[in-house]
Amino acid sequence: MTISKMLLSAAGLAMIAGLAQADTSGKRIALSNNYAGNSWRQAMLQSFEDTGKQAVADGAVAAADAYTTSENQATEQAAQIQNMILQGYDAIVLNAASPTALNGAVKEACDAGVTVVSFDGIVTEPCAWRIAVDFAAMGKEEVDYLATRLPDGGNLLEIRGLAGVFVDDEISKGIHEGVAEHSQFEIVGSVHGDWAQDVAQKAVAGILPSLPDIVGVVTQGGDGYGAAQAFKAADRPTPLIVLGNRQDELQWWADQRDANGYETLSLSIAPGVASLAFWVAQQVLEGAEVPKDLTVPFLKITQDTLDASLATTPEGSVANVSYSLEDAKQVIADAK
């Protein structure tokens, strides 16, 4: 091969490589978030902001901006997405108020050439990417765990999250699948705690007078401590409450364990999934081949790992793991 052909070949390879790996240093990524009223959402926002700030400093992207709607309304979030399109963002990372009501706005973004990566509260619009844990499996595992601890069964109270959100529907579906499998249990009451301990405490306090004896409480996260306080205020025995990785829940669990040997399970999606969504969006912008649906494991805390998890969870926050660019590449590779 002549030198000129070698140079031409090298140039061709470089061009192909450039097509496969575009420069994202000038790209702008925005977070569209529908709700910030609990510790999980605050930790999620912090995770995105920390990751985005470092990525901008490192020159990986030009901007990483977070926006939260004032109300948990799909119409408001749709308008927010449309505004992001007009502002010229290259990618939108989306925690959605509804799995379907935002599909029109998401499709508008895709048609405008904007990459959309939904996570936690995902959307069903085919042009978007989706990152989630198996929330239904998480809900079912709660009941599976109760079955090992309470083989004789009994009455359960279900505390749900934000009404109409994909996560709430899926976890509740899994819980009911678990109860169908373990017929010794019966759900005798259900309230929405909005994944916030103060809302959950008020809701549980309101329904408790009408309920028979409760042996277990199945939750979605951010509501376990509030439930415990409601049972205490009503002077009723503390049932086995499945928790959701919030620091106040973990501290209460540790205190109860030390006082009377209380034992339970805690599980939730890590708020750091926002950092994964950021890097997945960056990888799509870079030209990587990324499957539309990505699944991450939920973060589980047991009696054996409680102390270690509590020690690394800031007061008022949530047990967490963050995802690096290399972690995102591995999640993508595992999904192929």
Side-chain angles (χ1 to χ4, degrees), residues 300-323:
K300 186 188 308 184
I301 299 172
T302 66
Q303 204 81 358
D304 292 337
T305 60
L306 171 59
D307 288 332
S309 298
L310 185 57
T312 58
T313 304
E315 184 174 351
S317 190
V318 187
N320 197 13
V321 293
S322 291
Y323 293 84

PDB file of all heavy atoms in Angstrom, residues 300-323:
ATOM      1  N   LYS A 300     -31.139  -2.423  48.397  1.00  0.00           N
ATOM      2  CA  LYS A 300     -31.769  -3.143  49.502  1.00  0.00           C
ATOM      3  C   LYS A 300     -30.896  -3.052  50.756  1.00  0.00           C
ATOM      4  O   LYS A 300     -29.677  -3.209  50.692  1.00  0.00           O
ATOM      5  CB  LYS A 300     -31.963  -4.603  49.113  1.00  0.00           C
ATOM      6  CG  LYS A 300     -32.753  -5.442  50.121  1.00  0.00           C
ATOM      7  CD  LYS A 300     -32.736  -6.922  49.759  1.00  0.00           C
ATOM      8  CE  LYS A 300     -33.159  -7.183  48.334  1.00  0.00           C
ATOM      9  NZ  LYS A 300     -33.224  -8.632  48.035  1.00  0.00           N
ATOM     10  N   ILE A 301     -31.533  -2.799  51.895  1.00  0.00           N
ATOM     11  CA  ILE A 301     -30.837  -2.736  53.181  1.00  0.00           C
ATOM     12  C   ILE A 301     -31.456  -3.779  54.104  1.00  0.00           C
ATOM     13  O   ILE A 301     -32.676  -3.824  54.284  1.00  0.00           O
ATOM     14  CB  ILE A 301     -30.941  -1.340  53.807  1.00  0.00           C
ATOM     15  CG1 ILE A 301     -30.288  -0.303  52.873  1.00  0.00           C
ATOM     16  CG2 ILE A 301     -30.274  -1.297  55.185  1.00  0.00           C
ATOM     17  CD1 ILE A 301     -30.512   1.133  53.308  1.00  0.00           C
ATOM     18  N   THR A 302     -30.603  -4.614  54.675  1.00  0.00           N
ATOM     19  CA  THR A 302     -31.058  -5.674  55.567  1.00  0.00           C
ATOM     20  C   THR A 302     -30.574  -5.400  56.993  1.00  0.00           C
ATOM     21  O   THR A 302     -29.837  -4.444  57.244  1.00  0.00           O
ATOM     22  CB  THR A 302     -30.518  -7.034  55.113  1.00  0.00           C
ATOM     23  OG1 THR A 302     -29.076  -7.029  55.255  1.00  0.00           O
ATOM     24  CG2 THR A 302     -30.865  -7.301  53.641  1.00  0.00           C
ATOM     25  N   GLN A 303     -30.980  -6.274  57.896  1.00  0.00           N
ATOM     26  CA  GLN A 303     -30.535  -6.136  59.280  1.00  0.00           C
ATOM     27  C   GLN A 303     -29.001  -6.127  59.360  1.00  0.00           C
ATOM     28  O   GLN A 303     -28.419  -5.381  60.151  1.00  0.00           O
ATOM     29  CB  GLN A 303     -31.101  -7.304  60.109  1.00  0.00           C
ATOM     30  CG  GLN A 303     -31.229  -7.013  61.598  1.00  0.00           C
ATOM     31  CD  GLN A 303     -32.490  -6.220  61.939  1.00  0.00           C
ATOM     32  OE1 GLN A 303     -33.268  -5.843  61.054  1.00  0.00           O
ATOM     33  NE2 GLN A 303     -32.708  -5.966  63.210  1.00  0.00           N
ATOM     34  N   ASP A 304     -28.363  -6.903  58.508  1.00  0.00           N
ATOM     35  CA  ASP A 304     -26.903  -7.014  58.545  1.00  0.00           C
ATOM     36  C   ASP A 304     -26.205  -5.782  57.979  1.00  0.00           C
ATOM     37  O   ASP A 304     -25.056  -5.503  58.344  1.00  0.00           O
ATOM     38  CB  ASP A 304     -26.444  -8.254  57.763  1.00  0.00           C
ATOM     39  CG  ASP A 304     -26.854  -9.546  58.443  1.00  0.00           C
ATOM     40  OD1 ASP A 304     -27.077  -9.524  59.668  1.00  0.00           O
ATOM     41  OD2 ASP A 304     -26.954 -10.569  57.743  1.00  0.00           O
ATOM     42  N   THR A 305     -26.855  -5.062  57.069  1.00  0.00           N
ATOM     43  CA  THR A 305     -26.209  -3.908  56.436  1.00  0.00           C
ATOM     44  C   THR A 305     -26.739  -2.570  56.940  1.00  0.00           C
ATOM     45  O   THR A 305     -26.321  -1.516  56.456  1.00  0.00           O
ATOM     46  CB  THR A 305     -26.390  -3.963  54.900  1.00  0.00           C
ATOM     47  OG1 THR A 305     -27.803  -3.938  54.586  1.00  0.00           O
ATOM     48  CG2 THR A 305     -25.778  -5.229  54.323  1.00  0.00           C
ATOM     49  N   LEU A 306     -27.642  -2.597  57.922  1.00  0.00           N
ATOM     50  CA  LEU A 306     -28.277  -1.376  58.413  1.00  0.00           C
ATOM     51  C   LEU A 306     -27.260  -0.361  58.924  1.00  0.00           C
ATOM     52  O   LEU A 306     -27.281   0.812  58.533  1.00  0.00           O
ATOM     53  CB  LEU A 306     -29.290  -1.711  59.507  1.00  0.00           C
ATOM     54  CG  LEU A 306     -29.878  -0.521  60.271  1.00  0.00           C
ATOM     55  CD1 LEU A 306     -30.580   0.447  59.326  1.00  0.00           C
ATOM     56  CD2 LEU A 306     -30.838  -1.004  61.367  1.00  0.00           C
ATOM     57  N   ASP A 307     -26.366  -0.777  59.800  1.00  0.00           N
ATOM     58  CA  ASP A 307     -25.440   0.172  60.411  1.00  0.00           C
ATOM     59  C   ASP A 307     -24.533   0.820  59.380  1.00  0.00           C
ATOM     60  O   ASP A 307     -24.293   2.040  59.414  1.00  0.00           O
ATOM     61  CB  ASP A 307     -24.597  -0.523  61.486  1.00  0.00           C
ATOM     62  CG  ASP A 307     -25.405  -0.855  62.734  1.00  0.00           C
ATOM     63  OD1 ASP A 307     -26.386  -0.136  63.011  1.00  0.00           O
ATOM     64  OD2 ASP A 307     -25.073  -1.836  63.417  1.00  0.00           O
ATOM     65  N   ALA A 308     -24.029   0.031  58.439  1.00  0.00           N
ATOM     66  CA  ALA A 308     -23.146   0.576  57.402  1.00  0.00           C
ATOM     67  C   ALA A 308     -23.901   1.557  56.512  1.00  0.00           C
ATOM     68  O   ALA A 308     -23.369   2.615  56.141  1.00  0.00           O
ATOM     69  CB  ALA A 308     -22.552  -0.555  56.573  1.00  0.00           C
ATOM     70  N   SER A 309     -25.136   1.228  56.175  1.00  0.00           N
ATOM     71  CA  SER A 309     -25.927   2.116  55.325  1.00  0.00           C
ATOM     72  C   SER A 309     -26.274   3.412  56.046  1.00  0.00           C
ATOM     73  O   SER A 309     -26.205   4.498  55.466  1.00  0.00           O
ATOM     74  CB  SER A 309     -27.210   1.408  54.877  1.00  0.00           C
ATOM     75  OG  SER A 309     -26.914   0.266  54.097  1.00  0.00           O
ATOM     76  N   LEU A 310     -26.635   3.305  57.309  1.00  0.00           N
ATOM     77  CA  LEU A 310     -26.987   4.490  58.085  1.00  0.00           C
ATOM     78  C   LEU A 310     -25.788   5.416  58.240  1.00  0.00           C
ATOM     79  O   LEU A 310     -25.917   6.642  58.176  1.00  0.00           O
ATOM     80  CB  LEU A 310     -27.526   4.067  59.455  1.00  0.00           C
ATOM     81  CG  LEU A 310     -28.051   5.171  60.370  1.00  0.00           C
ATOM     82  CD1 LEU A 310     -29.152   5.978  59.689  1.00  0.00           C
ATOM     83  CD2 LEU A 310     -28.575   4.571  61.679  1.00  0.00           C
ATOM     84  N   ALA A 311     -24.611   4.842  58.407  1.00  0.00           N
ATOM     85  CA  ALA A 311     -23.397   5.629  58.611  1.00  0.00           C
ATOM     86  C   ALA A 311     -23.044   6.474  57.389  1.00  0.00           C
ATOM     87  O   ALA A 311     -22.405   7.525  57.520  1.00  0.00           O
ATOM     88  CB  ALA A 311     -22.230   4.713  58.966  1.00  0.00           C
ATOM     89  N   THR A 312     -23.462   6.037  56.214  1.00  0.00           N
ATOM     90  CA  THR A 312     -23.116   6.752  54.979  1.00  0.00           C
ATOM     91  C   THR A 312     -24.283   7.560  54.407  1.00  0.00           C
ATOM     92  O   THR A 312     -24.167   8.131  53.321  1.00  0.00           O
ATOM     93  CB  THR A 312     -22.621   5.767  53.903  1.00  0.00           C
ATOM     94  OG1 THR A 312     -23.644   4.784  53.659  1.00  0.00           O
ATOM     95  CG2 THR A 312     -21.341   5.066  54.354  1.00  0.00           C
ATOM     96  N   THR A 313     -25.393   7.630  55.141  1.00  0.00           N
ATOM     97  CA  THR A 313     -26.571   8.362  54.669  1.00  0.00           C
ATOM     98  C   THR A 313     -26.716   9.659  55.449  1.00  0.00           C
ATOM     99  O   THR A 313     -26.938   9.625  56.662  1.00  0.00           O
ATOM    100  CB  THR A 313     -27.846   7.519  54.829  1.00  0.00           C
ATOM    101  OG1 THR A 313     -27.695   6.274  54.149  1.00  0.00           O
ATOM    102  CG2 THR A 313     -29.062   8.251  54.266  1.00  0.00           C
ATOM    103  N   PRO A 314     -26.584  10.813  54.803  1.00  0.00           N
ATOM    104  CA  PRO A 314     -26.691  12.093  55.518  1.00  0.00           C
ATOM    105  C   PRO A 314     -28.059  12.255  56.177  1.00  0.00           C
ATOM    106  O   PRO A 314     -29.071  11.752  55.684  1.00  0.00           O
ATOM    107  CB  PRO A 314     -26.488  13.139  54.413  1.00  0.00           C
ATOM    108  CG  PRO A 314     -25.776  12.414  53.319  1.00  0.00           C
ATOM    109  CD  PRO A 314     -26.278  11.006  53.371  1.00  0.00           C
ATOM    110  N   GLU A 315     -28.078  12.987  57.278  1.00  0.00           N
ATOM    111  CA  GLU A 315     -29.330  13.240  57.979  1.00  0.00           C
ATOM    112  C   GLU A 315     -30.319  13.932  57.045  1.00  0.00           C
ATOM    113  O   GLU A 315     -29.978  14.882  56.334  1.00  0.00           O
ATOM    114  CB  GLU A 315     -29.077  14.109  59.209  1.00  0.00           C
ATOM    115  CG  GLU A 315     -30.317  14.342  60.057  1.00  0.00           C
ATOM    116  CD  GLU A 315     -30.017  15.091  61.349  1.00  0.00           C
ATOM    117  OE1 GLU A 315     -28.820  15.275  61.666  1.00  0.00           O
ATOM    118  OE2 GLU A 315     -30.983  15.470  62.038  1.00  0.00           O
ATOM    119  N   GLY A 316     -31.542  13.430  57.022  1.00  0.00           N
ATOM    120  CA  GLY A 316     -32.580  14.008  56.181  1.00  0.00           C
ATOM    121  C   GLY A 316     -32.533  13.575  54.735  1.00  0.00           C
ATOM    122  O   GLY A 316     -33.328  14.050  53.920  1.00  0.00           O
ATOM    123  N   SER A 317     -31.613  12.650  54.398  1.00  0.00           N
ATOM    124  CA  SER A 317     -31.460  12.240  53.004  1.00  0.00           C
ATOM    125  C   SER A 317     -31.871  10.784  52.817  1.00  0.00           C
ATOM    126  O   SER A 317     -32.696  10.251  53.574  1.00  0.00           O
ATOM    127  CB  SER A 317     -30.009  12.458  52.558  1.00  0.00           C
ATOM    128  OG  SER A 317     -29.895  12.282  51.157  1.00  0.00           O
ATOM    129  N   VAL A 318     -31.292  10.139  51.828  1.00  0.00           N
ATOM    130  CA  VAL A 318     -31.674   8.786  51.425  1.00  0.00           C
ATOM    131  C   VAL A 318     -30.413   7.984  51.127  1.00  0.00           C
ATOM    132  O   VAL A 318     -29.450   8.524  50.571  1.00  0.00           O
ATOM    133  CB  VAL A 318     -32.566   8.807  50.157  1.00  0.00           C
ATOM    134  CG1 VAL A 318     -33.113   7.420  49.843  1.00  0.00           C
ATOM    135  CG2 VAL A 318     -33.688   9.808  50.299  1.00  0.00           C
ATOM    136  N   ALA A 319     -30.407   6.699  51.481  1.00  0.00           N
ATOM    137  CA  ALA A 319     -29.298   5.829  51.094  1.00  0.00           C
ATOM    138  C   ALA A 319     -29.162   5.866  49.581  1.00  0.00           C
ATOM    139  O   ALA A 319     -30.157   5.803  48.851  1.00  0.00           O
ATOM    140  CB  ALA A 319     -29.558   4.405  51.580  1.00  0.00           C
ATOM    141  N   ASN A 320     -27.924   5.947  49.100  1.00  0.00           N
ATOM    142  CA  ASN A 320     -27.752   6.262  47.685  1.00  0.00           C
ATOM    143  C   ASN A 320     -26.500   5.624  47.107  1.00  0.00           C
ATOM    144  O   ASN A 320     -25.568   5.271  47.839  1.00  0.00           O
ATOM    145  CB  ASN A 320     -27.667   7.778  47.511  1.00  0.00           C
ATOM    146  CG  ASN A 320     -27.903   8.224  46.079  1.00  0.00           C
ATOM    147  OD1 ASN A 320     -28.360   7.457  45.237  1.00  0.00           O
ATOM    148  ND2 ASN A 320     -27.586   9.472  45.793  1.00  0.00           N
ATOM    149  N   VAL A 321     -26.503   5.482  45.804  1.00  0.00           N
ATOM    150  CA  VAL A 321     -25.303   5.176  45.030  1.00  0.00           C
ATOM    151  C   VAL A 321     -25.338   6.077  43.799  1.00  0.00           C
ATOM    152  O   VAL A 321     -26.398   6.346  43.244  1.00  0.00           O
ATOM    153  CB  VAL A 321     -25.233   3.695  44.581  1.00  0.00           C
ATOM    154  CG1 VAL A 321     -25.056   2.780  45.778  1.00  0.00           C
ATOM    155  CG2 VAL A 321     -26.469   3.294  43.788  1.00  0.00           C
ATOM    156  N   SER A 322     -24.175   6.582  43.402  1.00  0.00           N
ATOM    157  CA  SER A 322     -24.075   7.407  42.204  1.00  0.00           C
ATOM    158  C   SER A 322     -23.457   6.596  41.076  1.00  0.00           C
ATOM    159  O   SER A 322     -22.698   5.650  41.319  1.00  0.00           O
ATOM    160  CB  SER A 322     -23.236   8.656  42.477  1.00  0.00           C
ATOM    161  OG  SER A 322     -23.919   9.528  43.355  1.00  0.00           O
ATOM    162  N   TYR A 323     -23.761   6.993  39.855  1.00  0.00           N
ATOM    163  CA  TYR A 323     -23.272   6.289  38.676  1.00  0.00           C
ATOM    164  C   TYR A 323     -22.293   7.173  37.912  1.00  0.00           C
ATOM    165  O   TYR A 323     -22.578   8.346  37.649  1.00  0.00           O
ATOM    166  CB  TYR A 323     -24.436   5.904  37.768  1.00  0.00           C
ATOM    167  CG  TYR A 323     -25.359   4.863  38.356  1.00  0.00           C
ATOM    168  CD1 TYR A 323     -26.391   5.235  39.218  1.00  0.00           C
ATOM    169  CD2 TYR A 323     -25.209   3.517  38.039  1.00  0.00           C
ATOM    170  CE1 TYR A 323     -27.245   4.282  39.765  1.00  0.00           C
ATOM    171  CE2 TYR A 323     -26.066   2.556  38.582  1.00  0.00           C
ATOM    172  CZ  TYR A 323     -27.073   2.942  39.436  1.00  0.00           C
ATOM    173  OH  TYR A 323     -27.918   2.007  39.981  1.00  0.00           O
TER     174      TYR A 323
END
